[in-house]
């Protein structure tokens, strides 16, 4: 079965997919098949990069051109028994490294905590029985059932569905949920147009479906993205490039001036040792010891401000890149939104109009008629249109970490009336 991983599943009929994966399209896998397949293909989890040890993370803070100069200066002054100067320079290096280490450690812990929340469960059919299992326990060939609000646990070839729409923005960047179907497609169909596939990490916004797992773990499309990210080169930011250039120029100038000082003194007949001491003193004095610390503290302040706006920045220099950005590319609509659709007005038969107040999904606001608050329960026509909306959608209003959100299609969550007391409103969507 190892050769199954490279197949173009979107090109095959559903019957061929179940035959190749040795899966019953209605009963799923036999329970005795699960463990052998898990041993052969591994768990349904992405391979994580080995985390850097605290020592490596601390030493990486010293990997800066200016810090190299400071370390050399500290070593030279210590060798010349200039203990005060050596202590000051070493202190600047240590403070700079400690600040960067603390900021990156905090960001790394936040990212690890965030990735921990991505663990999900899924509904599978095994031996004709439905089971709720962890996504990591899913194996190739499992029959997975999807419904609104579910996160797709692995790459699936859809067998049957009803009005299924999936948010694939994490893979394709398309903000509009993709409409799915179960018919075979051409072999050269690009990823974004493979409407008979549901890919791991994407979110079901509406509808239901059943699909067979055709790829798990690192073999999924999101697994390939994870691999590309883990092997990507770390690009230098505008600031780091300028600092590296400045450090090289500063090093050349300092060495040239120190050498010129020593040469002029030697030509004038001054003692060689005294001229060497003078050249070293000139070199140490020309090094801007406070620059690395000032840069680190400035970047740390920027990282802290971004953190207060819920933006995680793993490495300090990355925060400066935003300040150097000149062009921001958005989607084809040219808008950047919170994806929280809100009903503003309701028009009933007979020309009755109602204004809905409130922003986003928070249950705050009211229904107004000509500026006067209206009790929904006392308006039969309004109750009927709300009841129709309730019966025709799968969206759910939930509260996570103090924030209101929708599980399901945003267009179905839009008419959520901003009233906390549901009994007074009659019904809500």
């Amino acid at each position: 079965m190892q050769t199954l991983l490279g197949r173009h599943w979107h090109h095959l009929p559903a019957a061929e997919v179940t035959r190749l994966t040795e899966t019953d399209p209605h009963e799923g896998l036999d329970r005795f098949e699960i463990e052998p397949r898990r041993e052969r293909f591994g768990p349904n989890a992405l391979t994580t990069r080995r985390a850097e040890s605290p020592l490596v993370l601390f030493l990486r803070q010293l990997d800066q051109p200016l810090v190299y100069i400071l370390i050399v200066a500290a070593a030279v002054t210590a060798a010349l028994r200039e203990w005060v100067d050596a202590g000051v320079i070493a202190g600047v290096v240590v403070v700079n490294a400690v600040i960067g280490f603390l900021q990156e450690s905090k960001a790394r812990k936040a990212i690890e905590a965030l990735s921990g929340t991505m663990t999900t469960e899924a509904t599978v059919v095994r031996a004709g029985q439905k089971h709720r299992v962890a996504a990591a326990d899913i194996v190739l060939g499992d029959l997975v059932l999807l419904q609104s609000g579910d996160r797709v646990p692995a790459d699936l070839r859809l067998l049957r569905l009803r009005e299924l729409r999936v948010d694939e923005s994490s893979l394709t960047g398309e903000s509009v949920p993709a409409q799915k179907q179960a018919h075979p497609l051409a072999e050269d169909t690009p990823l974004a147009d493979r409407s008979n596939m549901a890919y791991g990490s994407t979110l079901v916004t509406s509808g239901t479906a059943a699909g067979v797992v055709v790829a798990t773990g690192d073999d999924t499309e999101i697994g390939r993205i994870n691999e590309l990210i883990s092997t990507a080169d770390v690009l230098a930011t505008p600031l780091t490039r300028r600092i590296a250039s400045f450090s090289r120029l500063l090093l050349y100038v300092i060495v040239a001036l120190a050498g010129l000082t020593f040469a002029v003194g030697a030509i004038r007949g001054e003692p060689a040792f005294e001229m060497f001491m003078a050249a070293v003193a000139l070199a140490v004095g020309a090094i801007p010891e406070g620059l690395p610390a000032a840069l680190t503290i400035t970047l740390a302040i920027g990282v802290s401000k971004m953190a207060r706006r819920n933006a995680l920045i793993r490495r300090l220099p990355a925060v400066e890149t935003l300040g150097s950005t000149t062009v921001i590319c958005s989607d084809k609509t040219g808008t950047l939104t919170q994806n929280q659709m809100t009903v503003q007005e309701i028009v009933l038969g007979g020309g009755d109009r109602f204004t809905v107040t409130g922003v986003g999904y928070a249950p705050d606001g009211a229904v107004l008629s000509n500026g006067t608050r209206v009790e929904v329960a006392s308006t039969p026509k309004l109750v009927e249109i709300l009841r129709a909306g309730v019966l025709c959608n799968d969206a759910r209003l939930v509260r996570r970490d103090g924030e209101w959100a929708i599980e399901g299609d945003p267009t179905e969550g839009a008419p959520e009336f901003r009233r906390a007391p549901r009994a007074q409103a009659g019904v809500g969507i």
Side-chain angles (χ1 to χ4, degrees), residues 332-350:
K332 60 181 179 296
T333 62
T335 58
L336 295 174
T337 69
Q338 291 183 313
N339 197 29
Q340 294 185 351
M341 304 181 74
T342 305
V343 167
Q344 299 292 314
E345 190 175 22
I346 299 175
V347 180
L348 301 179

Side-chain angles (χ1 to χ4, degrees), residues 317-333:
V319 72
E320 182 269 341
T321 305
L322 184 60
S324 301
T325 301
T326 56
V327 177
I328 296 178
C329 299
S330 63
D331 66 1
K332 60 181 179 296
T333 62

